Amino acid sequence: MRLAIAAFIIITEIVFIYSMASAGIEFVLSSIVLTLAVLMQLWFGIRRDAPIPADIVAFIFSWLFLDLAPKVQLLSSPEELVNTSTVVPGRVLVTNLLCAVFIVTFTVVYASLQRRSAIGKTAKESNLNVAVPPQFTSVGICLLLGICVVVVAVLGRTPYQGDAAQAVITPSTLVIKKFLLFLPSAALLIFLHEMIRSRQRWVFSSICVLVLLLMLVLITENPLTEKRNALGPVYLGLIFVVFESKLRSINRRLLLLVGSMVLIFPAITVLTHSHRQFLHGVKLDAVVGTLKDHYLSVNYDAWANTYTIVEMVNRQGIGWGRQLLGDFLFFVPSSIWHTKPMATGIAIGNYLIMHHSGWFTNLSAPLVGEGYIDFGAVGVVLYGAALAMLVAWLNRLARDSGKWVSFPVAIYASLFLMLALRGSLMIVFAYATGAVLAFLLASACLSIGRRPIGQRYYRRNVHSRSPDHESMPTLGVSALHHQSKG
């Protein structure tokens, strides 16, 4: 699969160079450098031993959003980008080089971190295999189900009262949609993964819990309530949880995720961006037209917006962390912080309206652009390294079998990474905070009635005791272990 993708990337580059050779040496040389960076990430930035597809998601973003889409857009319109910016060869050169630096930095740092984490990993996994598998209690399950049912019954109508594609996200709707109404999805991912991982028997009560949670997820997460960037991590996460053992192959992961990004997600746009078509039926020509023009739309404006950020920095200067501070403090209202920076995507939209022929502000701001607008070229390197450390940390989190919430959070975060890479960071932090709180609340509810302190003590200490120390304290731990099984 990787060889086929590499061949496609090379063929695309040859066609682009042949077609754009007369446009200037800046187009040709910078495009070659960017293509080599993408090929480097494909070969060295995807690990076979990675338990989750976070590194594959990072590659797909680099390939589709920073390499393929801008080539298609420039071939179609060599003078104006999809976000209405005017094409300048020198700025194209800088943008491609910045994207290449970002990709190479991520690849080098990630490969180095994964190589270090591989040392001693076998011993760690052998210790985790002897851990007592956590089990849910009836009290915890009933409490979580009760909360989910009440939340959906009381607040479930909120997302249906407006167009999900055009609704304005306020602090109240953020809490409702991204935290409370996401709780069934978090609960389903945790419960389903634990049932599969611990190999518990599928009794009637467990099936009823899964069916009820799935029904709640279908009510809260569908094309009428969310856009595809929110639906993808949930339903792809369920697929990765159910078929975890079968999706450990790089080829299968690439096939699923590339197919989703190239075919399924563009087709879903017809539903998520037009509720009338979803309710009254979708015509085949609408789907074909969406697939045909998808790369020429603002859905793939990441490279174009990075290009615009380069222009903004040339005129306005580097922000020196101002945008990043606003991202971290997204929860502070503007009425208190009067000089609070707006999301970078909105700032790009306002700039395009003022200096070009832009007409809306609902734009993305990719991570490479976020780094450049705050810290210049150094920021591009820092953000690329930070992305590599995040992906490596998610791999370690997914391997932590001592906590049942670890793998569901890691798999959801790895798929949510596509939204994080596309930006803006302020929106990403707000959405991610709600999801994390939902996972923590679901895990806390399911933990009620258990003895996590005793189980943790048992896992860490009972297997390291020597026979000489098996006296009265050992009997106490054994009794505690017996109780935890019950």
Side-chain angles (χ1 to χ4, degrees):
M1 185 66 181
R2 282 200 284 186
L3 290 177
I5 294 176
F8 182 83
I9 293 174
I10 295 173
I11 293 174
T12 304
E13 179 63 18
I14 294 174
V15 173
F16 180 79
I17 292 176
Y18 177 79
S19 302
M20 300 294 293
S22 59
I25 193 66
E26 297 91 346
F27 285 85
V28 175
L29 292 181
S30 62
S31 178
I32 293 175
V33 172
L34 180 58
T35 297
L36 292 176
V38 173
L39 290 173
M40 178 181 177
Q41 185 178 7
L42 173 63
W43 197 256
F44 299 103
I46 299 177
R47 305 286 298 185
R48 294 185 180 275
D49 57 346
I52 54 175
D55 51 5
I56 295 180
V57 171
F59 161 73
I60 291 177
F61 175 82
S62 300
W63 171 35
L64 295 184
F65 286 84
L66 302 182
D67 181 58
L68 179 61
K71 284 183 170 63
V72 175
Q73 294 163 8
L74 288 172
L75 288 174
S76 175
S77 179
E79 297 182 357
E80 184 178 274
L81 300 179
V82 293
N83 65 353
T84 70
S85 287
T86 303
V87 176
V88 178
R91 202 170 298 142
V92 171
L93 171 66
V94 174
T95 304
N96 280 338
L97 292 181
L98 290 176
C99 293
V101 169
F102 179 81
I103 294 171
V104 171
T105 301
F106 166 81
T107 304
V108 172
V109 175
Y110 177 64
S112 176
L113 292 174
Q114 287 300 102
R115 190 178 300 111
R116 292 180 182 179
S117 64
I119 301 175
K121 184 179 65 176
T122 305
K124 181 178 179 181
E125 291 180 347
S126 63
N127 291 332
L128 291 176
N129 290 334
V130 300
V132 178
Q135 296 184 9
F136 303 128
T137 62
S138 300
V139 176
I141 294 174
C142 292
L143 176 62
L144 180 58
L145 287 178
I147 294 176
C148 291
V149 171
V150 171
V151 167
V152 174
V154 175
L155 303 173
R157 295 181 180 180
T158 304
Y160 294 90
Q161 295 175 353
D163 192 340
Q166 299 178 354
V168 178
I169 299 296
T170 62
S172 59
T173 57
L174 183 66
V175 172
I176 292 174
K177 295 181 64 176
K178 302 305 177 182
F179 170 43
L180 295 176
L181 292 181
F182 183 76
L183 188 59
S185 300
L188 179 59
L189 287 170
I190 295 175
F191 189 86
L192 180 60
H193 174 258
E194 184 57 26
M195 291 296 297
I196 296 175
R197 185 183 72 91
S198 60
R199 299 179 182 178
Q200 300 184 30
R201 291 193 305 171
W202 292 86
V203 296
F204 179 73
S205 58
S206 300
I207 297 176
C208 290
V209 172
L210 287 174
V211 171
L212 178 58
L213 287 175
L214 181 59
M215 291 176 60
L216 295 177
V217 171
L218 292 175
I219 294 173
T220 57
E221 305 288 341
N222 61 71
L224 292 177
T225 62
E226 291 286 2
K227 292 187 288 187
R228 56 182 182 169
N229 56 17
L231 298 177
V234 173
Y235 291 102
L236 285 176
L238 290 174
I239 293 175
F240 274 95
V241 167
V242 174
F243 302 102
E244 178 183 355
S245 59
K246 295 183 179 180
L247 289 175
R248 291 175 181 172
S249 167
I250 291 181
N251 291 336
R252 292 177 180 177
R253 289 180 176 181
L254 280 171
L255 183 62
L256 174 61
L257 293 177
V258 172
S260 299
M261 287 300 303
V262 174
L263 296 176
I264 299 177
F265 280 12
I268 291 179
T269 305
V270 179
L271 305 178
T272 57
H273 288 66
S274 178
H275 292 174
R276 182 173 299 178
Q277 292 193 53
F278 178 76
L279 295 174
H280 300 285
V282 179
K283 297 182 180 180
L284 181 61
D285 57 348
V287 177
V288 175
T290 301
L291 292 174
K292 181 180 178 181
D293 299 331
H294 197 63
Y295 289 100
L296 302 176
S297 67
V298 292
N299 292 291
Y300 282 85
D301 60 354
W303 186 90
N305 291 338
T306 304
Y307 174 95
T308 303
I309 286 177
V310 173
E311 180 181 346
M312 293 171 61
V313 171
N314 290 339
R315 287 195 178 193
Q316 304 172 0
I318 297 175
W320 298 114
R322 185 173 181 271
Q323 290 297 127
L324 184 61
L325 181 62
D327 299 336
F328 279 123
L329 300 179
F330 69 91
F331 52 87
V332 179
S334 300
S335 58
I336 298 176
W337 185 3
H338 299 289
T339 59
K340 178 182 178 180
M342 61 187 68
T344 308
I346 298 177
I348 296 173
N350 291 336
Y351 180 86
L352 291 171
I353 292 175
M354 183 178 299
H355 297 281
H356 298 276
S357 56
W359 67 93
F360 66 100
T361 59
N362 186 22
L363 297 173
S364 65
L367 193 60
V368 55
E370 293 273 12
Y372 189 74
I373 198 173
D374 260 335
F375 304 105
V378 176
V380 174
V381 175
L382 293 177
Y383 279 43
L387 175 62
M389 290 186 285
L390 174 62
V391 173
W393 178 78
L394 289 176
N395 288 337
R396 293 194 300 270
L397 181 65
R399 294 190 181 101
D400 184 7
S401 60
K403 298 178 181 179
W404 59 40
V405 73
S406 298
F407 185 84
V409 169
I411 194 66
Y412 177 82
S414 66
L415 299 168
F416 182 82
L417 192 62
M418 183 64 72
L419 174 62
L421 289 168
R422 189 166 180 257
S424 302
L425 273 184
M426 186 177 293
I427 307 299
V428 171
F429 283 160
Y431 287 10
T433 300
V436 170
L437 291 176
F439 275 109
L440 292 177
L441 178 58
S443 178
C445 291
L446 292 173
S447 300
I448 292 179
R450 296 176 62 246
R451 299 176 65 104
I453 297 177
Q455 288 186 357
R456 183 165 62 248
Y457 174 80
Y458 172 79
R459 287 197 298 266
R460 293 182 179 178
N461 297 287
V462 70
H463 293 286
S464 62
R465 290 183 179 271
S466 62
D468 298 336
H469 293 87
E470 292 182 356
S471 57
M472 193 63 183
T474 306
L475 294 176
V477 174
S478 300
L480 180 60
H481 175 43
H482 178 73
Q483 292 178 3
S484 67
K485 284 187 174 180

